Amino acid sequence: MRAMKVKDAEILIVPGYTNSGPDHWQTRWEAKLSTARRVEQAEWTKPVREDWTANVAQAVNAAERPVVIVAHSLGVSTVIQAIPQFRKPVAGAFLVAPPDVANPSIRPRHLMTFGPYPRDPLPFPSVVIASRNDPYSTFEVAEDIAAAWGSLFIDAGEAGHLNADSGHGPWPEGSMTFAHFLSRLEPPKLH
């Protein structure tokens, strides 16, 4: 098995609610990784599940190379809900800070329209990284859903929401973890 490299993949950056700003690790990775591109949404502050999932599915289905997804927060929910619309195989998904979209106290409340999560094992290798003090999900909920999906689960410690506001602009640990994850992926067989 040969290790997958950035140039072998189409890396889809899938931000969450309100998009990832200039200091966010997703934006930095997009600038640094030659084959990365962001899945744009028409309404970053008023997410509509059908629109968001359609945009992710369209990006996956238009890819010329094996797809590796890098999703943060509501982007994770979007990716999971979009899987039935994928027509091309995904090599892997790097899923960071999944929110608890089944929690009625989540704010803004319309984020619940992205839940509940399907609990079927994901059809591709995945990593879920969660923090012990994420305001959008308990650690236990993240750990439970990662187990249901068959994802490798990584404990990020007390890291908040793993975004620029919690001090994760550069996020070198995330970058190293992603490089390791990528190196273990096998390009899927394209039909």
Side-chain angles (χ1 to χ4, degrees):
M1 179 186 114
R2 119 187 136 70
M4 203 165 171
K5 294 183 171 58
V6 169
K7 65 178 176 49
D8 303 325
E10 199 151 326
I11 297 169
L12 294 181
I13 306 279
V14 185
Y17 177 63
T18 72
N19 201 349
S20 292
D23 294 331
H24 195 288
W25 59 267
Q26 279 189 313
T27 303
R28 293 167 186 248
W29 290 14
E30 182 183 3
K32 196 172 76 181
L33 300 170
S34 59
T35 62
R37 65 186 170 92
R38 181 175 306 232
V39 177
E40 294 291 344
Q41 300 293 354
E43 283 290 340
W44 286 109
T45 56
K46 295 186 185 74
V48 176
R49 176 172 150 177
E50 293 71 28
D51 297 347
W52 278 41
T53 56
N55 286 336
V56 168
Q58 183 180 8
V60 167
N61 297 335
E64 303 281 321
R65 282 178 279 208
V67 170
V68 177
I69 293 169
V70 176
H72 177 258
S73 191
L74 195 63
V76 174
S77 319
T78 305
V79 166
I80 300 302
Q81 300 291 2
I83 290 171
Q85 300 172 55
F86 292 174
R87 301 289 165 255
K88 288 197 176 160
V90 168
F94 193 78
L95 308 171
V96 180
D100 181 358
V101 286
N103 180 350
S105 63
I106 197 169
R107 294 292 177 266
R109 193 176 296 247
H110 61 262
L111 301 186
M112 277 187 74
T113 62
F114 283 75
Y117 288 114
R119 298 187 58 86
D120 309 319
L122 301 183
F124 41 74
S126 59
V127 169
V128 170
I129 300 179
S131 159
R132 290 185 171 270
N133 61 344
D134 187 332
Y136 297 99
S137 178
T138 67
F139 187 73
E140 294 69 28
V141 164
E143 194 172 28
D144 176 64
I145 198 64
W149 293 340
S151 303
L152 173 65
F153 184 72
I154 297 177
D155 177 350
E158 305 270 328
H161 193 48
L162 290 158
N163 59 5
D165 292 343
S166 68
H168 296 83
W171 198 32
E173 305 85 356
S175 192
M176 287 177 356
T177 305
F178 178 68
H180 181 72
F181 174 65
L182 192 63
S183 74
R184 304 198 48 156
L185 294 179
E186 267 188 78
K189 309 286 179 266
L190 298 171
H191 316 302

